[in-house]
Amino acid sequence: MSDRTTDSTATPIVKMEKLNKNFGSLHVLKDVDLSVTPGEVVVIIGASGSGKSTLIRCINGLEEFQSGALEVDGRRLEPDGRASKALQQIRTEVGMVFQQFNLFPHLTVRDNVTLAPRKVRNASTAEARETADRLLDRVGIANQAEKYPSQLSGGQQQRVALARALAMEPRLMLFDEPTSALDPEMIGEVLDAMRELAREGMTMVIVTHEMTFAREVADRVIYIHQGEIVEEGAPEQVFDNPQHERTQSFLSRVLTH
């Protein structure tokens, strides 16, 4: 479990109330309530198809929702993608790392990291380069700056994706199973970079199937089953003394493999 402290009285950076999401006739998220405090690390676990990724993608507007309320950093997102001045601002303040790396193959590592700060934040080339080099060093791949994504391992590419997200100086980082596309020997290097972010106090919402990692970094663990939050609590409570039979069944399967 994380030994960081968070201020539970602070205004939530994410506030989700009775949020519902449908894909056609499929009800994917059902009356979901979720608050995330600045500096908190929330880890979301659950079986494939339970709604974890959909939930995290709603936070920065990558998925529309049909009803309920959602505020991110004090800005309200509207249901059904209705025009919202808040959406673009939210996307500049919320970083996201996906399962796939989504790097531009024709750009060097450094140029992948500098692109958004230059285009979106109007940073100078020199300023963006300085930031990129600092962040690439921070995630342990400063020596790869002049290479192209195809010349890197999967773990290195995912760390570039992390540096790229951090270059926008986000107030919140979202991770959607960032290690699921990696070979086993590469998973640790990405998780190490995420651990360091947690130690530094970054607000993070993480969807992962890495249970040991979840127990170590999370302030709070949330278990989702069929679009509903079934259980949430501190890692030791959820992992060692789960109250709901669905949580017990899920953990008995994943923790024995």
Side-chain angles (χ1 to χ4, degrees):
M1 178 189 173
S2 166
D3 58 1
R4 297 173 307 106
T5 58
T6 58
D7 182 2
S8 60
T9 65
T11 301
I13 195 166
V14 176
K15 187 175 183 182
M16 186 180 289
E17 295 179 331
K18 302 297 181 188
L19 188 133
N20 286 273
K21 165 67 182 176
N22 300 292
F23 287 117
S25 60
L26 185 63
H27 198 175
V28 181
L29 297 176
K30 305 169 184 175
D31 288 333
V32 172
D33 293 328
L34 173 65
S35 290
V36 180
T37 302
E40 187 178 22
V41 176
V42 175
V43 175
I44 302 173
I45 63 174
S48 296
S50 60
K52 306 184 302 296
S53 292
T54 301
L55 171 59
I56 205 171
R57 289 169 65 89
C58 284
I59 293 174
N60 64 350
L62 290 177
E63 293 289 355
E64 300 172 1
F65 60 97
Q66 277 64 62
S67 66
L70 175 58
E71 288 187 4
V72 181
D73 202 15
R75 296 177 173 86
R76 185 181 181 91
L77 277 170
E78 299 295 335
D80 292 317
R82 292 200 297 270
S84 169
K85 294 179 181 178
L87 180 57
Q88 197 58 43
Q89 187 64 35
I90 286 170
R91 286 181 174 167
T92 67
E93 297 177 358
V94 178
M96 187 159 183
V97 177
F98 301 87
Q99 297 178 33
Q100 302 299 328
F101 321 125
N102 299 328
L103 301 176
F104 292 108
H106 63 290
L107 297 180
T108 65
V109 164
R110 180 184 286 115
D111 288 344
N112 265 279
V113 178
T114 63
L115 184 64
R118 290 191 295 108
K119 298 295 187 182
V120 179
R121 292 195 180 274
N122 296 316
S124 69
T125 299
E127 179 185 6
R129 182 185 175 111
E130 181 181 345
T131 298
D133 289 348
R134 173 173 53 82
L135 291 171
L136 290 170
D137 181 63
R138 182 175 174 184
V139 298
I141 49 173
N143 59 341
Q144 308 295 328
E146 296 298 332
K147 292 186 177 179
Y148 289 87
S150 62
Q151 297 174 288
L152 305 183
S153 69
Q156 289 171 327
Q157 289 187 61
Q158 192 62 296
R159 284 185 284 163
V160 175
L162 176 53
R164 180 180 61 183
L166 292 173
M168 290 294 287
E169 300 179 350
R171 287 177 43 77
L172 168 68
M173 282 291 297
L174 308 176
F175 294 86
D176 185 7
E177 300 200 31
T179 61
S180 64
L182 299 179
D183 293 334
E185 64 270 19
M186 298 176 185
I187 290 173
E189 60 193 56
V190 174
L191 295 182
D192 283 345
M194 293 171 65
R195 286 185 184 97
E196 185 60 30
L197 277 185
R199 283 192 290 267
E200 293 171 359
M202 174 65 75
T203 310
M204 302 162 71
V205 182
I206 304 168
V207 172
T208 186
H209 56 271
E210 300 289 339
M211 296 299 150
T212 300
F213 171 75
R215 180 193 288 267
E216 178 186 346
V217 304
D219 297 302
R220 184 159 41 110
V221 174
I222 291 173
Y223 171 65
I224 292 185
H225 176 72
Q226 294 183 353
E228 297 180 273
I229 293 180
V230 171
E231 188 154 358
E232 65 179 298
E236 63 270 20
Q237 183 264 301
V238 173
F239 286 112
D240 298 337
N241 190 30
Q243 301 300 299
H244 198 285
E245 62 180 353
R246 293 286 187 186
T247 319
Q248 296 167 5
S249 175
F250 171 75
L251 290 174
S252 69
R253 294 196 305 273
V254 299
L255 295 178
T256 55
H257 288 80

